[in-house]
Amino acid sequence: MGAAIAVGLVIVIAIVVLVLSLSIRLVQQYQRGVVFRFGRVLDRVRQPGFHLIIPVADRMVRVSMQTTVIGVPAQGVITRDNVTLTVDAVVYYRVVDPVKVLVNVRDYPSAVLQVAQTALRSVIGKADLDTLLRDRDRINAELKSVIDAPTEKPWGLLIERVEVKDVSLPEGMKRSMSRQAEAERERRARVIAADGEFQASRRLADASRAMANTPGAYQLRLLQTVVDVAAEKNSTLVMPFPVELLRFFDEVARGSREQATPAGRGGSREPEVSGGQGPREQATPVGPVLGPVTENVAAAAEGSDGHRRSPR
């Protein structure tokens, strides 16, 4: 009798343990539990922690609420300006309504991937190449809105972020863009150089006006230039020649010409050459042509005698 009672007690304990093992469910912090009772969804979603369900009658499905990242495979796309590209992207999404995710869509990760591929082809096909390369944020925002439209309310998914990861261009297009970038850089370099020359010319003009107000500034600048040249090229000999000396010779030559001009108007004749020949012919100058200052000095020397000497 005692043995039968003991066996019955063991059987009862085993049944209780079995029922408890079938009834207890553990939901993690990043999960939510959806209970189906005889195939129908209960309204209350189970939060993280221990929960009891009715064995055989209830079935709990855990849904992860974490953000999921999927990579969209590379898609061959033709842009609005007829450029063939290969574009891939990354989609970040998470579940906001676990009931809709389980009831309304089957294998929702695959469904999100298919929608992302279709949206990527559609959005890139409406944009041109310059917009795709320069305004990437606008393309990403448009992709997010296109993918989020059929997934948020019907499927209970929230598309958090979509990014275009890589854009592969044809080799010919890469070479064309390289030439364009090189030409743009050259244009900027020329503009900067011209701007620098313009600013330098304005500074030089200001410096010349400042030096004109100070007579000794020109001499100091000349001496500084001599020092700079002597420091770089020690074998070069620099002989400064004052500009005032040239002006002195120019004034002397001009005064000599003014004195010689009235004497030439007195009617003096050229002497005749012995041998019965006619008046002497002016000799053609032979040799290097003299500069204006040297010619003035020579004219002054001739004017001091009052007339030209005739050849003998």
Side-chain angles (χ1 to χ4, degrees):
M1 185 68 181
I5 295 174
V7 171
L9 184 61
V10 170
I11 294 174
V12 171
I13 293 174
I15 293 174
V16 171
V17 172
L18 179 62
V19 170
L20 289 176
S21 64
L22 294 176
S23 302
I24 296 176
R25 292 291 184 271
L26 178 63
V27 179
Q28 301 294 334
Q29 181 65 37
Y30 57 87
Q31 294 176 338
R32 299 294 183 269
V34 179
V35 178
F36 292 87
R37 179 167 295 173
F38 296 110
R40 302 187 63 177
V41 179
L42 299 181
D43 295 336
R44 189 170 65 89
V45 177
R46 302 301 191 269
Q47 299 299 319
F50 284 98
H51 297 278
L52 294 176
I53 62 175
I54 301 175
V56 180
D58 293 347
R59 183 175 63 92
M60 178 181 288
V61 179
R62 302 177 185 89
V63 180
S64 176
M65 306 297 290
Q66 293 175 320
T67 299
T68 306
V69 182
I70 59 172
V72 181
Q75 305 292 317
V77 185
I78 300 178
T79 60
R80 189 174 61 181
D81 50 354
N82 298 325
V83 178
T84 303
L85 302 175
T86 303
V87 184
D88 55 355
V90 180
V91 179
Y92 302 83
Y93 72 93
R94 63 183 178 87
V95 177
V96 293
D97 192 340
V99 176
K100 290 183 179 180
V101 163
L102 293 177
V103 175
N104 296 345
V105 60
R106 179 179 181 182
D107 191 9
Y108 62 89
S110 178
V112 173
L113 179 60
Q114 296 299 323
V115 173
Q117 291 180 359
T118 306
L120 184 62
R121 289 175 177 270
S122 176
V123 172
I124 300 300
K126 296 178 182 178
D128 52 7
L129 180 60
D130 293 337
T131 303
L132 179 61
L133 297 178
R134 183 176 59 249
D135 197 1
R136 189 73 64 85
D137 294 336
R138 187 175 69 84
I139 298 297
N140 294 337
E142 188 173 356
L143 277 172
K144 178 181 178 301
S145 62
V146 172
I147 299 174
D148 198 25
T151 58
E152 183 176 5
K153 292 182 179 180
W155 296 352
L157 298 173
L158 175 63
I159 305 299
E160 294 182 342
R161 191 172 183 180
V162 180
E163 291 184 354
V164 176
K165 185 168 63 175
D166 187 21
V167 178
S168 299
L169 298 174
E171 293 297 328
M173 183 61 64
K174 291 181 180 178
R175 290 192 295 268
S176 300
M177 294 177 66
S178 299
R179 291 195 297 269
Q180 180 183 1
E182 183 178 358
E184 179 66 19
R185 292 292 180 182
E186 185 177 357
R187 182 188 68 84
R188 292 182 183 179
R190 291 182 178 180
V191 170
I192 293 173
D195 191 16
E197 292 180 0
F198 174 71
Q199 294 179 7
S201 64
R202 296 185 63 179
R203 293 298 182 184
L204 288 174
D206 296 339
S208 64
R209 285 192 291 268
M211 293 173 68
N213 296 329
T214 306
Y218 287 104
Q219 187 67 21
L220 293 176
R221 185 66 182 123
L222 177 61
L223 294 176
Q224 183 64 36
T225 304
V226 172
V227 171
D228 295 340
V229 173
E232 295 180 359
K233 299 180 180 180
N234 296 328
S235 61
T236 303
L237 180 61
V238 180
M239 297 294 294
F241 191 78
V243 181
E244 288 77 6
L245 185 59
L246 297 178
R247 293 177 180 174
F248 171 74
F249 283 123
D250 189 15
E251 292 176 358
V252 171
R254 187 182 297 109
S256 300
R257 284 198 304 270
E258 291 177 356
Q259 292 178 2
T261 300
R265 294 177 181 176
S268 60
R269 296 190 304 172
E270 294 288 339
E272 296 181 356
V273 182
S274 60
Q277 296 180 0
R280 71 174 181 86
E281 299 178 355
Q282 295 182 357
T284 304
V286 179
V289 180
L290 301 178
V293 177
T294 310
E295 291 180 356
N296 294 335
V297 175
E302 292 179 359
S304 61
D305 294 340
H307 60 83
R308 287 174 168 262
R309 292 184 181 180
S310 60
R312 294 181 182 177

